[in-house]
Amino acid sequence: MANRLNKENSLYLRQHAENPVDWFSWGDEAFKKARDENKLLIVSIGYSSCHWCHVMEHNVFEHEDAAALMNEHFVSVKVDREERPAIDQIYMDAVQMITGSGGWPLNVFVLPDGRPFYGGTYFPKTQWMSLIERLAITYKERPELIRQTAAEIKEKIAQNEDALQGQDSLKSNNVDLHSKLSRQWKANFDSQNGGEKGAPKFPMPAKLSAVLNMAFTKENESVKKQVLFTLKKMAAGGIYDQVGGGFSRYAVDSHWKVPHFEKMLYDNAQLLPLYAKAAAIENDKLCKLVLNETFEFLLREMQPEPGLFAAAIDADSEGVEGKFYTWNYDEFKQVMPDDQWADFFNVIKPGNWEGTNVLHCNSENMDEKMQAGRKFESALAGVKSVFLQEREKRIRPIRDDKAITSWNAMLAFSLLEANRYVSNENFYSTAIEILNPIKAYWQKHQQLPRILNYDAGEGMLDDYAYVAKAFYGAHEITHEQSWLELAENILVKTLELFDLGKPLLNYYPVKNELFATKTEWLDTVIPSSNALVASALFNVGYAAKNPEFTEKSMVMVDLMKPYMEKHPLMLGAWIEVNLDIEEKQFVSIGDKYDSMEVRNNFAKEKYFPDILPLTMGEKDDMLVCKGSVCFQPVKSVQEAKQLLK
């Protein structure tokens, strides 16, 4: 018999609808039941493409004896972390404080007032049942112990938040952040495989973006080569889908060879501008191929309807991880008898992973063939097309069709960024197709939702930040004033909803009080939402001539500088905002100039300033600014280029 989760919109929650556990979704009903019956809560958090979430469901939550214990002693709540990221983040902080580590599934034990006192990630069934029995007995016999632990955790989280926001004594010593970033990157660099040393290997686009932009801006040739080497190693590895394009979430090994096969929208969105920059600035054909194939993958496989992009594609199909993507030797040879392609993709009879083959290439060989000419590129495209058609006959992994506002706006922003470097009308048109329904929702409700294609509550700070950045990006490329006004209005609302009266903003709307505030300041696989807001404030502040935005951005960055000095690789998005404040190039043009002509003229010389409409001055003026410093207006693109040099 289905439990109450069968009525939820979330795919992850519906996947637990047949469990014998009496699951609740997050909300007042569950907490009222806990208070009325004086029970603890189990808050179990995951997402639809999480492999170990599926494993725990199968090994624990589907079992009657485990469910009976949970139902007798606890109120059990299932949370989709992508729907309710604030819940996930504050409980993740608590579990990391308790155990020293975190991950998903995240299982947290909580008092009826919402305060956590214990938690962990994956639990085998025997350990899980033993744990919940012990906790139930302790709460019955010694409830003061649990309440004291919960109070200590809450107090410690509050102290950490206060320390972060009140750093007056930690003033920056004007350290060269870019040298710090370069040194830390080089110290961690894997010279054999690219990226950071060790395994598993995550792309971590925020780090790669910060390091690459620093290398380009500061003309650091050695670091630039290391990042390009990383991008090519990833492109040749199994983490990249050699048949259909697009990147998996991470590789389980140190060689980018064997992926954990789920594909996330956020990884693929953030990697687009990186490959576009490499393709344009370095004239790299492999990077351009990856850029185009990843875009085609997104359109083909992650778009439930025009303008909306799905959150993720599962790693498993037919109950087997990677089955959709791998090939045994006979299958491969039946599709493509020519031995050269089996050699090219490292396909062998015994298999290169668990008896089957993950397609991957030698990056140096692939790069050499790509640079040699179009003949190989055309042949490779033909081979990939044949395998893609054959693969379409297989049973596909499940796709989670929830369209998360921030991830969709991230994709729109990334496509507009990619279009600056590799001009592609489809990048631009797809970005605008994403932004139009977000714009319509904002104009109707004067707020943003968390999910675009069903009701899942209000947007979080990352939703507002990425929408503001994408609206600014649309203004930069179209010069339509309406996009800038929208970006400005979004940021006004952002400061209103998330303001704690301190430099950094809360992650969730302040009025929705939880047991702790949460100022998300560290990059994960997604950049810090506060850094994204600071970036949007700086750019929109410049374009809209809004000094309050610019000043707020600088206050946020100044607060974070001591942390940037200590942990530059963990704060790549902040490093990028700081670099913008110091050196970002803006060129504002009068009515005499055609914006696309000006943009293309700069691109030929491999300059990529923001091209904005001039709001004051003569129609033949061109105003060049670098960071927060502007020069006297000039009258030609050539003069502007000289200033940028």
Side-chain angles (χ1 to χ4, degrees), residues 363-619:
S363 61
E364 288 78 13
N365 179 41
M366 188 173 189
D367 193 34
E368 184 180 320
K369 287 177 180 292
M370 287 293 299
Q371 302 302 337
R374 290 198 55 82
K375 186 176 179 182
F376 172 78
E377 193 174 344
S378 177
L380 181 63
V383 169
K384 289 186 175 189
S385 177
V386 171
F387 276 100
L388 187 61
Q389 290 176 40
E390 184 65 24
R391 198 171 73 179
E392 287 300 312
K393 300 173 186 176
R394 298 176 174 180
I395 296 173
R396 300 188 63 84
I398 293 172
R399 183 180 68 194
D400 188 338
D401 283 349
K402 76 162 76 73
I404 300 169
T405 300
S406 62
W407 298 6
N408 274 258
M410 173 200 294
L411 176 58
F413 169 75
S414 293
L415 287 168
L416 292 169
E417 277 288 287
N419 188 66
R420 286 155 58 95
Y421 298 92
V422 179
S423 183
N424 184 325
E425 177 61 30
N426 289 331
F427 292 173
Y428 164 74
S429 61
T430 302
I432 299 302
E433 193 172 42
I434 295 168
L435 293 181
N436 278 332
I438 299 175
K439 177 176 73 172
Y441 189 99
W442 166 261
Q443 290 173 330
K444 181 178 180 180
H445 300 282
Q446 293 299 296
Q447 65 178 30
L448 294 174
R450 178 61 185 169
I451 308 294
L452 292 165
N453 51 354
Y454 62 80
D455 183 16
E458 293 177 90
M460 299 291 120
L461 186 61
D462 58 330
D463 298 302
Y464 282 80
Y466 263 121
V467 169
K469 283 176 72 69
F471 283 173
Y472 168 78
H475 168 69
E476 192 272 333
I477 200 167
T478 65
H479 286 194
E480 292 176 14
Q481 188 67 16
S482 61
W483 289 115
L484 181 61
E485 291 170 358
L486 284 164
E488 196 170 9
N489 292 338
I490 290 283
L491 288 172
V492 168
K493 188 70 170 182
T494 303
L495 296 176
E496 174 190 321
L497 286 175
F498 302 96
D499 183 30
L500 292 164
K502 298 175 181 179
L504 300 186
L505 304 178
N506 203 39
Y507 180 69
Y508 63 87
V510 174
K511 64 182 175 62
N512 301 338
E513 186 177 356
L514 299 172
F515 82 87
T517 58
K518 173 62 184 177
T519 47
E520 187 194 47
W521 58 280
L522 274 172
D523 293 339
T524 56
V525 291
I526 296 175
S528 152
S529 54
N530 267 285
L532 294 170
V533 170
S535 172
L537 286 166
F538 180 75
N539 288 321
V540 175
Y542 174 85
K545 302 297 181 282
N546 186 327
E548 291 182 14
F549 283 3
T550 308
E551 288 165 14
K552 176 65 175 176
S553 175
M554 291 179 174
V555 166
M556 295 171 79
V557 170
D558 282 345
L559 180 81
M560 295 307 300
K561 278 184 179 177
Y563 286 105
M564 288 185 246
E565 292 173 13
K566 292 179 182 177
H567 310 291
L569 273 181
M570 297 170 68
L571 294 162
W574 287 106
I575 296 275
E576 289 209 65
V577 185
N578 185 69
L579 186 63
D580 281 352
I581 290 172
E582 291 178 354
E583 302 209 30
K584 179 159 185 179
Q585 299 169 344
F586 298 95
V587 176
S588 301
I589 59 174
D591 293 341
K592 169 187 171 181
Y593 302 99
D594 178 88
S595 63
M596 288 308 298
E597 275 186 27
V598 172
R599 193 183 311 278
N600 291 337
N601 206 312
F602 278 110
K604 285 176 187 174
E605 303 295 326
K606 298 186 179 176
Y607 293 114
F608 300 94
D610 285 12
I611 308 297
L612 298 171
L614 189 66
T615 55
M616 295 177 63
E618 304 295 327
K619 66 179 183 178

Side-chain angles (χ1 to χ4, degrees), residues 180-206:
K180 282 253 184 184
L181 178 64
S182 174
R183 284 197 297 272
Q184 196 172 98
W185 165 262
K186 287 181 175 179
N188 290 303
F189 181 66
D190 181 344
S191 60
Q192 298 298 313
N193 305 297
E196 293 183 90
K197 296 172 184 172
K201 262 183 158 49
F202 288 80
M204 301 302 285

Side-chain angles (χ1 to χ4, degrees), residues 278-328:
I281 296 174
E282 297 301 304
N283 194 28
D284 191 278
K285 291 183 179 179
L286 176 56
C287 289
K288 188 170 184 180
L289 175 70
V290 170
L291 168 68
N292 290 331
E293 286 182 347
T294 301
F295 176 62
E296 289 164 8
F297 150 72
L298 289 167
L299 293 179
R300 184 182 64 247
E301 298 187 33
M302 294 202 76
Q303 191 173 204
E305 58 184 274
L308 292 179
F309 284 80
I313 299 173
D314 209 323
D316 301 2
S317 57
E318 302 179 76
V320 179
E321 184 184 0
K323 184 172 182 179
F324 183 74
Y325 299 101
T326 56
W327 305 80
N328 67 44

Side-chain angles (χ1 to χ4, degrees), residues 87-198:
I87 306 301
D88 174 57
Q89 289 194 18
I90 59 173
Y91 284 130
M92 182 67 78
D93 283 353
V95 169
Q96 288 176 330
M97 190 176 293
I98 295 163
T99 69
S101 62
W104 300 278
L106 183 69
N107 293 290
V108 194
F109 297 91
V110 173
L111 286 164
D113 62 9
R115 291 178 298 162
F117 63 90
Y118 190 70
T121 54
Y122 175 82
F123 291 90
K125 180 185 168 187
T126 303
Q127 183 183 351
W128 177 256
M129 292 178 68
S130 174
L131 174 64
I132 62 177
E133 280 189 298
R134 292 200 315 271
L135 292 177
I137 291 168
T138 302
Y139 188 59
K140 183 177 180 180
E141 297 179 353
R142 301 287 305 278
E144 70 280 359
L145 289 179
I146 285 177
R147 293 194 183 102
Q148 181 181 349
T149 300
E152 289 171 357
I153 291 168
K154 179 179 178 180
E155 178 63 22
K156 182 62 176 174
I157 289 174
Q159 288 173 359
N160 290 345
E161 289 283 301
D162 289 343
L164 171 68
Q165 295 270 32
Q167 287 195 85
D168 289 342
S169 61
L170 297 175
K171 293 297 183 185
S172 171
N173 295 317
N174 293 319
V175 172
D176 183 348
L177 293 173
H178 309 110
S179 295
K180 282 253 184 184
L181 178 64
S182 174
R183 284 197 297 272
Q184 196 172 98
W185 165 262
K186 287 181 175 179
N188 290 303
F189 181 66
D190 181 344
S191 60
Q192 298 298 313
N193 305 297
E196 293 183 90
K197 296 172 184 172

